[in-house]
Amino acid sequence: MALNPAFRSGAAAGLRAFVPVSVGFIPWAIVTGIAMRSSGLDAPESIGMSLLVYAATAQLGALPLIASGAPLWLIFVTGMVLNLRFVIFSAAIAPSLREQSLPRRIVGGFLLTDNAFAVLGPRLAETRDPVWRWGYYIAPSLYGWTLWQGGVLVGVFGAGFVPADWSLEFMGTIALMAMVVPMVRSRPMLLAALVGGLGAVLLRGLPLRLGLFVAILLGIVAGFLAERWNEKRAAP
Amino acid sequence: MIEGVWLWIAFLLLAATTLLTRGSFIVIGERGQLPAVILRALRYAPAAALSALVMPDLLLAQGEVDPFNPRLFAGLAVIAVALRWRNPWLPFIIGMGVLWAVQYLLPGP
């Protein structure tokens, strides 16, 4: 399977596209590792949490709840809300992985990240060969998982050594910005980004970080309506 | 603090949220095709979502809008760099450089 030339060519192309963006993972992973230790988890618990959950926002969002002894249902609901954006990403990626077996789709689904979706999504959608597509998706996703767990280990064992005033966590934000800027090539796309971003700022007061989810939905609707309006105006 | 077995049950519940959301449509596969109009609208999801994650970090300081936030200056520099050059490392070098410079020049309270 792994020796299939189409798989290998897909894997190589996927890694070439993904590796430069993946530098942004490292600081986030380290910061997540430090945050788990500083909220009271020991090293095996922190590592176990990262291996099982593999979601920076859900991990960081659940930590205060775990530390304060919140009920399990609230931890579950918070995790769902913080992960909700991935339902949208999953729907967009699903057609590209539909030929794969169920175990592969479960592994592929678990490994889906914001970065992988943003970087790999466009070429996945326009490539025909399912074997190439699987290589293009799964190789960078496994690499991203490994890099993430490595960064978490550094954070877990290095907690207390990195001065907080270095603001290294800002590299995660830089990585997200470096992804979104080349995407904004049309006015509807710019509108989607502005509505999503300003919406998240204005709706930050909503409980359980629901504001993030609502803002993303508003951004999608705004971009889509602008596209429809552009088309209507262009038509005679 | 949640401890012992209950802590690991909490981790498993969080792992379930990861699989339920990221897996959702990928796992359903063939049976769960979305209508074309939804898929078209979803092309706007990455830009909206990434921007929704970025902008609060650039504009807010301690939960309030702060236009003199060093991260906002650094963010604007990153956007300018990303618009002009395709080098993947440059946004990190310029972004962190501007952040540290502004933090140094505009000391907080």
Side-chain angles (χ1 to χ4, degrees), chain B residues 11-29:
Chain B
F11 292 166
L12 286 175
L13 285 173
L14 286 168
T17 70
T18 294
L19 191 60
L20 286 172
T21 54
R22 295 171 200 239
S24 59
F25 283 96
I26 293 175
V27 172
I28 294 165

Side-chain angles (χ1 to χ4, degrees), chain A residues 14-68:
Chain A
L15 287 170
R16 264 200 308 278
F18 192 70
V19 168
V21 170
S22 67
V23 273
F25 273 33
I26 300 168
W28 271 118
I30 296 173
V31 166
T32 305
I34 294 171
M36 286 187 293
R37 288 305 303 278
S38 50
S39 70
L41 304 184
D42 64 22
E45 287 165 351
S46 303
I47 293 165
M49 185 186 198
S50 245
L51 290 174
L52 290 169
V53 183
Y54 188 48
T57 44
Q59 275 172 256
L60 295 171
L63 283 176
L65 299 176
I66 288 172
S68 66

Side-chain angles (χ1 to χ4, degrees), chain A:
Chain A
M1 177 272 287
L3 294 173
N4 184 307
F7 178 91
R8 278 171 57 182
S9 133
L15 287 170
R16 264 200 308 278
F18 192 70
V19 168
V21 170
S22 67
V23 273
F25 273 33
I26 300 168
W28 271 118
I30 296 173
V31 166
T32 305
I34 294 171
M36 286 187 293
R37 288 305 303 278
S38 50
S39 70
L41 304 184
D42 64 22
E45 287 165 351
S46 303
I47 293 165
M49 185 186 198
S50 245
L51 290 174
L52 290 169
V53 183
Y54 188 48
T57 44
Q59 275 172 256
L60 295 171
L63 283 176
L65 299 176
I66 288 172
S68 66
L72 290 175
W73 68 264
L74 184 61
I75 292 174
F76 178 78
V77 169
T78 305
M80 282 305 282
V81 172
L82 293 179
N83 271 319
L84 215 47
R85 65 184 186 279
F86 288 104
V87 175
I88 300 170
F89 300 166
S90 189
I93 291 278
S96 306
L97 300 181
R98 66 176 184 277
E99 298 92 346
Q100 307 305 327
S101 66
L102 182 63
R104 279 188 183 184
R105 295 205 307 276
I106 291 173
V107 172
F110 185 80
L111 293 178
L112 179 62
T113 59
D114 301 271
N115 296 35
F117 168 63
V119 174
L120 307 173
R123 250 188 107 181
L124 272 180
E126 63 197 28
T127 306
R128 270 221 171 132
D129 183 357
V131 180
W132 190 93
R133 266 191 257 125
W134 176 245
Y136 188 73
Y137 176 78
I138 200 67
S141 297
L142 284 171
Y143 156 80
W145 184 88
T146 311
L147 189 69
W148 174 264
Q149 304 300 348
V152 167
L153 278 182
V154 172
V156 165
F157 291 109
F161 291 105
V162 181
D165 59 3
W166 279 13
S167 307
L168 284 186
E169 76 287 349
F170 189 67
M171 288 177 79
T173 304
I174 295 178
L176 299 177
M177 269 187 284
M179 282 190 283
V180 76
V181 167
M183 266 178 212
V184 180
R185 276 193 228 104
S186 66
R187 289 209 178 155
M189 204 58 96
L190 179 63
L191 190 68
L194 286 177
V195 170
L198 294 175
V201 171
L202 296 174
L203 299 173
R204 66 185 180 277
L206 293 189
L208 297 172
R209 290 193 66 184
L210 264 176
L212 188 66
F213 183 68
V214 175
I216 294 171
L217 276 184
L218 288 176
I220 295 171
V221 169
F224 186 63
L225 288 180
E227 178 190 305
R228 297 289 282 256
W229 189 72
N230 266 353
E231 279 172 0
K232 253 186 215 150
R233 212 180 34 167

Side-chain angles (χ1 to χ4, degrees), chain B residues 25-109:
Chain B
F25 283 96
I26 293 175
V27 172
I28 294 165
E30 206 69 81
R31 285 162 292 157
Q33 281 275 24
L34 281 176
V37 65
I38 301 281
L39 285 175
R40 238 177 110 195
L42 286 178
R43 286 187 296 120
Y44 294 98
L50 292 173
S51 177
L53 289 168
V54 164
M55 276 209 210
D57 196 39
L58 298 185
L59 290 173
L60 303 177
Q62 279 94 44
E64 296 301 321
V65 175
D66 175 11
F68 295 105
N69 187 343
R71 291 193 309 277
L72 180 58
F73 291 102
L76 292 174
V78 168
I79 291 169
V81 167
L83 281 172
R84 179 75 181 75
W85 291 285
R86 299 313 310 263
N87 183 313
W89 305 99
L90 215 49
F92 292 97
I93 297 164
I94 301 291
M96 293 312 288
V98 170
L99 182 71
W100 288 332
V102 177
Q103 277 176 343
Y104 179 75
L105 294 171
L106 280 180

